Amino acid sequence: MGFTIEDALIETGNEYRLKLLAGRHGCSNSISWVHMIEDTTIIQQLWGKELVVTTGLGFQTHDSLLRFVKTLVKYHSVGLIINTGKYIFDISEDIVEYCNEHDFPLLTTPWEIHMSDLIKDFSMRCLTSEKEDRQISRYFKNTLMNSRLEQESREQLMSSFDVDGYFQVILIGIENADQFDTIQRRRLAFQIELCFEKVESPYSFFWFDGYFVMVVNNLDVDELENIIDHMYQRAKKRMIEQMIHVGVGTRMSDFCNVRSSYKRALAAAQMALHFHYPMMFFEEMGVYQILFSIEDKNILKNMYNQLLSVLIEYDKKHHSELEQTLYHYLINDGNQQAMAKNLYMHRNTINYRMAKIKELLECDLSSFEEKMPYMLAFYMKKMFEDL
């Protein structure tokens, strides 16, 4: 999404006589803004995703130009246009190779082209594109907040998305991101979205309710997994001190199911955060699909207490471990040898405790139906504390 270098080549390539020398695979990168740079000192102030233009005044030697390009790559510029013909005439092969290795678009335009016209033109296109992207994000946010706005959003998105196709929601949680100001959060968004630039399917990326949200349309499942993995690895390198967790919702047909995919992504993100997983797919959550999808977590706490309070109270009063014994009984399917090994306990002690547990619970625990509620209770406990 957004105005890209590829768009610039197609729409203005002839007008500005643009020539792509390297980095073709990075041409799908969207441009946040355009900057004229003749000195490297300002580069550290870039946010990321800027297209840089230079006459080469400060980079007339081979080494200075190569350092310039490497610095732009380091600070996540999306590309470089060199106004050749006065200070720089030829680009060496090793610089071209470096740009290709890093998928960094390197373009030239002849000296007679007025760079002020190019900068103004591209900047206006960036503004227009950003406005369109914000409007698209607003339609998705409206749908997530209020299902009654779904039909209106669907109609507005038909020109940009296949509303009858497949949608999938990804939530990216970054530690303390909800405490960042708008500028800090926008910088983070630029860093993350750089990993999505090669996505050819329609998508929308925005901040909503404590998460960075990506909604993809008709994106292949394997491609999505590769993109998410790449994004996570890159983000960890850039944000070493912050915990990152990702929740991936179900791939669902038709725009009307975007909210469902979002809720499942939210459940997956909450599980990833709770258990300190880097990422979690809803389909891989097992029984936690149900438990983390329940919005009122007090329901789970109350159910846990109702099922096991009699054992909890007995343990407190007698300094015993009946609750722990029941847990190992259930996870080992009643196998006393495994229980004795895990609990470092003699079988006679296990038999005594199990008899007491069955007495207190008024349940023989002999059938699946009798065991299942208590097994679920321990899953609930894991949501609030570690066993």
Side-chain angles (χ1 to χ4, degrees), residues 254-267:
D254 200 279
F255 176 75
C256 67
N257 288 310
V258 164
R259 292 182 78 247
S260 295
S261 185
Y262 167 76
K263 289 182 177 180
R264 296 183 182 188
L266 183 59

Side-chain angles (χ1 to χ4, degrees), residues 307 330 365 367-377 379:
L307 287 165
L330 294 171
L365 299 173
S367 67
F368 174 77
E369 287 76 12
E370 290 176 326
K371 296 176 184 176
M372 183 179 69
Y374 298 102
M375 192 70 249
L376 282 175
Y379 276 111

Side-chain angles (χ1 to χ4, degrees), residues 61-332:
T61 67
H62 166 273
D63 290 348
S64 63
L65 181 59
L66 179 58
R67 284 195 300 271
F68 179 46
V69 170
K70 288 183 176 180
T71 306
L72 291 177
V73 171
K74 177 182 177 181
Y75 285 94
H76 314 294
S77 170
V78 297
L80 171 65
I81 299 178
I82 301 176
N83 194 198
T84 57
K86 184 170 184 179
Y87 303 112
I88 295 178
F89 293 89
D90 298 306
I91 314 297
S92 65
E93 189 60 34
D94 62 325
I95 293 178
V96 172
E97 289 178 1
Y98 179 85
C99 292
N100 278 325
E101 288 174 4
H102 291 82
D103 294 335
F104 182 72
L106 176 63
L107 304 92
T108 60
T109 182
W111 186 256
E112 54 267 27
I113 297 297
H114 295 289
M115 299 311 293
S116 58
D117 293 338
L118 181 148
I119 293 171
K120 180 179 179 181
D121 183 3
F122 283 16
S123 296
M124 291 301 296
R125 292 172 188 266
C126 288
L127 285 173
T128 301
S129 179
E130 184 179 354
K131 181 180 179 181
E132 292 173 352
D133 285 347
R134 284 201 303 267
Q135 185 60 59
I136 287 173
S137 298
R138 192 173 296 117
Y139 292 133
F140 278 108
K141 290 179 184 179
N142 289 342
T143 301
L144 297 181
M145 289 187 292
N146 189 344
S147 60
R148 288 179 294 181
L149 299 175
E150 178 189 299
Q151 186 57 38
E152 177 187 346
S153 298
R154 180 190 182 92
E155 293 171 359
Q156 295 294 334
L157 292 170
M158 288 181 69
S159 60
S160 304
F161 290 80
D162 175 14
V163 294
D164 297 317
Y166 289 95
F167 286 85
Q168 193 164 9
V169 177
I170 302 96
L171 298 186
I172 303 160
I174 298 179
E175 187 179 18
N176 298 324
D178 56 342
Q179 300 176 18
F180 294 167
D181 59 33
T182 303
I183 293 178
Q184 289 176 306
R185 198 176 294 145
R186 193 175 184 190
R187 286 182 185 274
L188 265 179
F190 280 164
Q191 296 295 317
I192 297 171
E193 197 173 5
L194 281 169
C195 303
F196 301 139
E197 296 294 359
K198 294 183 181 179
V199 176
E200 296 183 358
S201 301
Y203 75 89
S204 181
F205 181 76
F206 52 91
W207 173 262
F208 178 74
D209 201 19
Y211 288 92
F212 290 106
V213 182
M214 185 178 184
V215 183
V216 296
N217 182 209
N218 290 339
L219 184 63
D220 179 76
V221 176
D222 291 335
E223 183 181 354
L224 176 64
E225 291 187 13
N226 290 333
I227 290 168
I228 294 174
D229 184 65
H230 173 67
M231 180 278 299
Y232 181 82
Q233 298 302 329
R234 182 180 181 127
K236 285 299 294 181
K237 290 180 181 178
R238 301 295 189 275
M239 295 172 276
I240 299 173
E241 298 178 354
Q242 293 162 306
M243 179 181 174
I244 301 170
H245 59 281
V246 180
V248 185
T250 306
R251 187 174 189 252
M252 307 184 81
S253 178
D254 200 279
F255 176 75
C256 67
N257 288 310
V258 164
R259 292 182 78 247
S260 295
S261 185
Y262 167 76
K263 289 182 177 180
R264 296 183 182 188
L266 183 59
Q270 290 174 347
M271 182 175 176
L273 175 63
H274 180 77
F275 291 114
H276 306 292
Y277 297 146
M279 65 184 74
M280 176 58 61
F281 288 76
F282 184 79
E283 286 77 6
E284 299 175 356
M285 291 174 62
V287 70
Y288 286 117
Q289 286 184 348
I290 300 172
L291 301 182
F292 275 98
S293 294
I294 296 175
E295 295 183 10
D296 185 354
K297 297 301 187 288
N298 285 325
I299 294 175
L300 303 179
K301 289 182 179 180
N302 293 337
M303 185 177 295
Y304 165 75
N305 288 325
Q306 288 173 7
L307 287 165
L308 295 175
S309 61
V310 63
L311 298 186
I312 296 170
E313 293 301 321
Y314 186 90
D315 285 342
K316 287 180 179 179
K317 184 176 181 180
H318 297 88
H319 305 288
S320 57
E321 298 179 339
L322 296 188
E323 183 189 9
Q324 184 185 38
T325 303
L326 175 60
Y327 172 71
H328 284 278
Y329 174 82
L330 294 171
I331 64 172
N332 290 294

Side-chain angles (χ1 to χ4, degrees), residues 340-375:
K341 181 179 179 181
N342 291 328
L343 292 170
Y344 303 102
M345 191 180 298
H346 193 275
R347 290 189 181 184
N348 290 341
T349 305
I350 292 174
N351 288 331
Y352 168 78
R353 286 190 178 182
M354 287 308 304
K356 192 64 181 177
I357 289 170
K358 293 174 182 179
E359 175 189 336
L360 292 171
L361 295 179
E362 298 180 356
C363 175
D364 288 337
L365 299 173
S366 58
S367 67
F368 174 77
E369 287 76 12
E370 290 176 326
K371 296 176 184 176
M372 183 179 69
Y374 298 102
M375 192 70 249

